[in-house]
Amino acid sequence: CTGKDPYVVGKPSPLMIEYLESKYGVDRSRICMVGDRLDTDVLFGTENGLKSLLVLSGVTAEEKLLSPENSITPDYYADDINSFFSESPANVEA
């Protein structure tokens, strides 16, 4: 209708991380994106130079993560966010 291409603001667009970098002076190499979706959360992290942690307590199951058809790989994954921060050994894979 306007004849212009849309401007994507949501994940995995870099707009959010660029804003955090400029406003707060955050170094993206020190950020870990945590989420439950490979195609938005983890992709946002990997495409924007962040570490990524996939939690298996939401949308993405371990079955899909480990599937040969999956092309998006997080740096880490855990059963849930509590397992990641647990003092006892957690099921966290790199």
Side-chain angles (χ1 to χ4, degrees):
C1 184
T2 64
K4 295 184 178 185
D5 289 332
Y7 191 67
V8 178
V9 176
K11 295 176 280 187
S13 167
L15 184 65
M16 288 188 287
I17 192 63
E18 289 168 356
Y19 174 77
L20 290 173
E21 277 184 311
S22 66
K23 179 157 177 103
Y24 299 107
V26 176
D27 178 1
R28 65 175 74 196
S29 70
R30 297 179 45 91
I31 298 173
C32 183
M33 178 64 187
V34 178
D36 68 344
R37 295 184 69 110
L38 285 169
D39 60 342
T40 56
D41 304 322
V42 173
L43 190 61
F44 174 78
T46 58
E47 287 189 353
N48 290 289
L50 314 175
K51 293 287 185 192
S52 60
L53 166 66
L54 176 70
V55 290
L56 301 173
S57 56
V59 174
T60 303
E62 188 173 29
E63 198 176 306
K64 179 174 181 174
L65 170 65
L66 301 176
S67 166
E69 290 83 35
N70 176 37
S71 62
I72 304 168
T73 306
D75 294 292
Y76 310 98
Y77 71 95
D79 290 333
D80 55 45
I81 195 66
N82 292 328
S83 297
F84 187 72
F85 290 108
S86 174
E87 290 184 29
S88 60
N91 180 19
V92 177
E93 302 291 330

